[in-house]
Amino acid sequence: MNIQISIKNNKSRKEVLLLVLCFLFGFVLRFYTFDQRSLWIDEIHTYNDSRDDFKGQIKYYKENPNTLHPPLFFMLTHLFFPFAEPERDLRIIPLIFGIISIPMIYFLARLFSSNIALPCSLSLTLMTYHIYYSQEGRMYSLIMFLGMAGIYFFMKHLETLKIKYLFLVAFCFTILFHTSYSSILFIALTQMLWFYRINEIHKKPAIYSFLILNGVTLFLCIPWILFIIFNYKGQSFMDPLTIQDVGSLLSLVQAVFSDWVPYLPLTIISVILLILFPIFSKNKKNALILLAFWTFPIVGLYSYCKLLNVTQFITSRYFISFLPLFLITLYLSLDAIELKFEIIKRYLRPKLLFLILFIASNLLILPLYYRAEKQDFRGLVNYLNSQLRDGDKIFVKTFTYIPGILHYFRVDPEKRHYQIPYYYSGKEFEFRVTLISQNRKFTIYHSNVPYAQYVKDGSRLWMVVGKGSEGEIPKSFPFVLKGYFDGSFAHFRRFPSDASMYLFLWDPGSPDEKGIDIPKR
C-alpha cells in the first residue's frame, strides 16, 4: 500500500514539474518577438476602438449599437492608453491570457481524464496557431481562456453538484458575452454538457441548477442587451460596400482542420480519431456530446450566414472557444483506443505518437511564423516616407489598406474610425484622402477608375497591391516593382494566409525607371 502511494506521489510530482516546464516554455514562445511585428489591419481597428475611455465607449455604442464587437476588450486595452508603443501595449492582455491558458487546459482536461491532461497542455504549448493569437492585439486568446474557465467550473458542478460553481460559470459566460458576441453560440451549446456524465455514481443535476445558471447569466447580461435594443434604430450590421463570399461548408470545415491540426497526415489522423471516438468510447453518449459540441457551431454558423445572406467569410477564429474541447476530444479518443486494445500499448503508444506528430507539425510552421509579418504596414509607410515627392499619388488595390497606411503616417481618425471621403456615380467610385507629411502633399486613392487617369497630369503613381495581383500589374501598365512587404502569416480564411503587399511605381517622367525582382516564396 505504501509503495503504491509512493509511486502515485512520484508520478504527481513529475506531472507538476512537466506542467511548470510547459508554462515556462509557453511563456518564452509567446513572449519572444511579441512586440516586434507591425500592427496588421485588425489590430489597427483595436487601436482605434481602444482610444475611448468608459464614457467614450458608452457614447459610441449608443450611437452605433450595431457594432460587431462589444466594448469590454477595448476597455481593458484602454488601460494602456495613450499607447506609447502600440505594438506592445495592445498585445499585453492577449499575451497574458495566452500564457495562462496552458495550465488552464491542463486542469480542464483532468476533469475528463487524468491521462490526457499533460498531452493537451503540451499540444497547446507548442501550437503555432495559439501562439499567433497570444501575440495578436485582438480578443481571441481571452475568449478561449474564458471559455475554458467556464467549462471547468461547469464540469466541477457536474462532479460535485455544488451551487457555488454555477455562479462562477455565469460570471465567465457574462465576461465572454461582453467580450465577443460570437460567444453567444458557445454559451448556448454549453447547455449540452448538462447531459454529460463524469461517472455513473454521480447524481444527475437538478432542474434548478439549469435555472440558476441561465437565470444568473441572463441577469448579468440583460443590462447590455437592453442598452443595445433601446438604442438600435435599424442600422445595418454589415458594411454595404463589403461583399465577401462565405464559401462552401466543406471549405470551412477543411479550413478549421487545417488551422487546428496542420498538414495532411495530422489532419487525416485527427479525422479518423474523431470518427472512432464514439465507436471505442465506453460512454458513447458522452462521446457524441463532445463531438456535437464543436461540430454544431461550424454547421450552425455557416447555415445562419447562408440563410440570412450575411456577406462575411467565416474563419476558425470565430470558433476558438471550442478549440480546447477539440483537443480534449482527440486525446480522449486515443485514450479510449488504448483502453480498448491494451495489447497495443506493449508495442506502441498511440497517444505519444500522436503528440509527437502534433508537435512536429507545429514546429514546421513555428520558425516561419517568427520570421514573418502579419501585414507590414509599418515597413510600407517607412519606405514611402523615404521616397515620396510632393504631388505623388498612392493607389491601393484593397480599401482596408488605407487605415493601415494612415495609422503609420500618424494620422488618427477624427472620430472612432477613419471616415474616407468618396464619390459614387453609379458606375465609378473613388475614395480619396489627402495628407501632408514632411512638407509633401500626396493623396491616397482606392477606386475603379482606370489607372491612366491618375498620371495624366504627370504625377507619379504608387500602386499597393496584395498577394495574387503582383504579377498582373507590370504586364498591362508601365509600373516597376519598388518594394515587397511581408505579410505571410496573417489569418484570413486559413492560417496562415499570405497578406504580403507589393509596391509599384509608375513615373511618367522616368520611363526607364528600374525596379526590383518579385521575391520568390
Side-chain angles (χ1 to χ4, degrees):
M1 186 67 152
N2 291 333
I3 295 174
Q4 289 179 340
I5 294 173
S6 177
I7 292 172
K8 186 176 181 180
N9 289 337
N10 286 335
K11 184 179 178 182
S12 298
R13 282 196 291 269
K14 288 179 181 178
E15 196 160 304
V16 170
L17 177 60
L18 285 172
L19 178 61
V20 171
L21 290 174
C22 283
F23 178 78
L24 295 175
F25 194 43
F27 168 80
V28 171
L29 292 175
R30 285 153 182 78
F31 184 79
Y32 178 63
T33 74
F34 92 98
D35 59 347
Q36 294 181 20
R37 294 178 182 82
S38 166
L39 297 181
W40 77 298
I41 189 60
D42 281 9
E43 293 177 301
I44 289 166
H45 292 321
T46 298
Y47 175 88
N48 292 325
D49 288 328
S50 301
R51 290 182 301 133
D52 287 336
D53 58 11
F54 178 77
K55 289 183 179 179
Q57 295 287 349
I58 296 300
K59 181 178 183 295
Y60 177 79
Y61 280 87
K62 189 174 183 179
E63 298 170 353
N64 302 274
N66 57 328
T67 302
L68 294 178
H69 295 289
L72 181 58
F73 178 75
F74 308 126
M75 291 166 63
L76 292 174
T77 49
H78 181 76
L79 296 172
F80 301 95
F81 187 79
F83 310 126
E85 296 183 35
E87 293 83 4
R88 176 200 63 196
D89 298 340
L90 298 178
R91 294 166 179 163
I92 290 175
I93 290 174
L95 177 71
I96 291 170
F97 283 98
I99 293 168
I100 62 177
S101 290
I102 295 169
M104 188 69 244
I105 197 173
Y106 172 85
F107 293 116
L108 175 61
R110 276 190 69 87
L111 295 178
F112 291 88
S113 171
S114 59
N115 295 329
I116 68 167
L118 266 179
C120 286
S121 294
L122 282 165
S123 297
L124 193 66
T125 298
L126 291 155
M127 190 177 192
T128 306
Y129 178 90
H130 187 255
I131 294 171
Y132 175 99
Y133 280 111
S134 301
Q135 297 186 332
E136 181 183 70
R138 298 293 281 174
M139 67 286 297
Y140 300 110
S141 70
L142 174 58
I143 292 170
M144 181 173 155
F145 175 83
L146 290 169
M148 283 194 287
I151 296 176
Y152 174 82
F153 293 124
F154 200 119
M155 298 301 291
K156 289 296 288 185
H157 172 75
L158 295 181
E159 183 182 51
T160 64
L161 297 184
K162 293 180 178 179
I163 299 300
K164 65 179 182 180
Y165 290 117
L166 294 178
F167 290 96
L168 293 171
V169 177
F171 175 76
C172 291
F173 284 179
T174 302
I175 302 300
L176 259 177
F177 171 75
H178 290 89
T179 303
S180 173
Y181 294 134
S182 66
S183 64
I184 295 173
L185 190 60
F186 175 82
I187 294 169
L189 289 174
T190 303
Q191 307 301 317
M192 291 192 298
L193 294 177
W194 289 114
F195 303 100
Y196 193 91
R197 293 291 169 264
I198 294 179
N199 56 56
E200 298 300 327
I201 65 172
H202 285 95
K203 296 180 181 179
K204 296 181 181 179
I207 186 65
Y208 66 78
S209 295
F210 173 84
L211 295 175
I212 289 173
L213 172 60
N214 292 286
V216 173
T217 303
L218 182 60
F219 175 77
L220 294 173
C221 294
I222 200 68
W224 185 254
I225 294 172
L226 292 176
F227 175 84
I228 295 298
I229 291 173
F230 290 149
N231 288 287
Y232 181 65
K233 309 298 182 185
Q235 299 96 327
S236 173
F237 285 91
M238 297 301 300
D239 182 354
L241 296 175
T242 302
I243 300 177
Q244 298 166 333
D245 181 25
V246 176
S248 67
L249 178 59
L250 179 60
S251 66
L252 174 59
V253 173
Q254 288 175 335
V256 172
F257 274 89
S258 174
D259 291 354
W260 292 354
V261 279
Y263 294 113
L264 194 58
L266 182 61
T267 302
I268 292 173
I269 292 172
S270 298
V271 171
I272 293 172
L273 287 174
L274 295 172
I275 294 171
L276 294 178
F277 184 36
I279 297 173
F280 294 121
S281 176
K282 287 185 177 180
N283 192 322
K284 301 187 185 307
K285 181 180 176 182
N286 282 354
L288 291 173
I289 289 171
L290 290 178
L291 285 174
F293 183 77
W294 61 266
T295 54
F296 279 11
I298 298 174
V299 177
L301 185 58
Y302 176 84
S303 302
Y304 168 81
C305 291
K306 279 293 187 181
L307 289 173
L308 297 183
N309 197 30
V310 175
T311 56
Q312 171 66 45
F313 64 81
I314 311 170
T315 76
S316 64
R317 63 173 169 262
Y318 301 135
F319 309 110
I320 197 168
S321 52
F322 298 91
L323 173 58
L325 276 190
F326 175 82
L327 292 175
I328 287 170
T329 303
L330 287 175
Y331 283 106
L332 282 176
S333 178
L334 287 159
D335 204 38
I337 292 170
E338 288 184 352
L339 289 173
K340 186 74 174 179
F341 304 100
E342 291 189 6
I343 193 170
I344 294 178
K345 292 179 67 176
R346 297 179 185 177
Y347 308 100
L348 294 172
R349 294 293 182 92
K351 207 179 301 162
L352 178 60
L353 291 175
F354 180 83
L355 177 62
I356 292 171
L357 179 60
F358 187 95
I359 291 174
S361 298
N362 279 277
L363 289 180
L364 288 175
I365 307 173
L366 192 57
L368 301 175
Y369 165 71
Y370 283 133
R371 291 200 299 265
E373 290 274 354
K374 299 175 183 181
Q375 261 184 316
D376 190 11
F377 285 112
R378 180 173 56 190
L380 171 65
V381 170
N382 286 342
Y383 181 84
L384 283 171
N385 244 336
S386 68
Q387 299 293 322
L388 283 173
R389 300 176 188 170
D390 190 49
D392 278 2
K393 298 172 182 176
I394 304 170
F395 186 97
V396 296
K397 193 77 172 177
T398 304
F399 175 76
T400 53
Y401 289 166
I402 297 180
I405 293 172
L406 292 178
H407 172 81
Y408 278 104
F409 270 118
R410 301 176 183 267
V411 178
D412 289 333
E414 293 183 6
K415 296 183 179 180
R416 176 100 162 204
H417 297 291
Y418 294 103
Q419 303 294 321
I420 310 301
Y422 73 97
Y423 85 87
Y424 180 63
S425 65
K427 291 184 179 180
E428 293 184 344
F429 69 86
E430 182 182 75
F431 291 84
R432 178 193 308 168
V433 56
T434 300
L435 302 179
I436 297 177
S437 175
Q438 299 177 5
N439 297 320
R440 300 163 304 182
K441 185 177 181 181
F442 55 93
T443 306
I444 303 173
Y445 297 89
H446 169 69
S447 76
N448 61 353
V449 176
Y451 305 140
Q453 298 292 328
Y454 294 104
V455 296
K456 278 187 174 181
D457 59 358
S459 300
R460 298 197 309 169
L461 179 64
W462 297 88
M463 172 78 69
V464 185
V465 303
K467 181 73 174 179
S469 301
E470 76 281 4
E472 302 171 6
I473 301 297
K475 296 177 183 177
S476 306
F477 303 96
F479 285 99
V480 292
L481 180 64
K482 301 295 287 185
Y484 163 76
F485 304 94
D486 182 53
S488 49
F489 262 83
H491 185 194
F492 290 106
R493 291 186 181 270
R494 293 198 180 196
F495 175 76
S497 299
D498 196 334
S500 298
M501 294 177 288
Y502 296 81
L503 180 65
F504 292 88
L505 174 64
W506 180 352
D507 185 356
S510 300
D512 298 324
E513 178 82 26
K514 300 297 182 182
I516 62 174
D517 293 329
I518 293 177
K520 295 180 180 180
R521 295 188 59 83

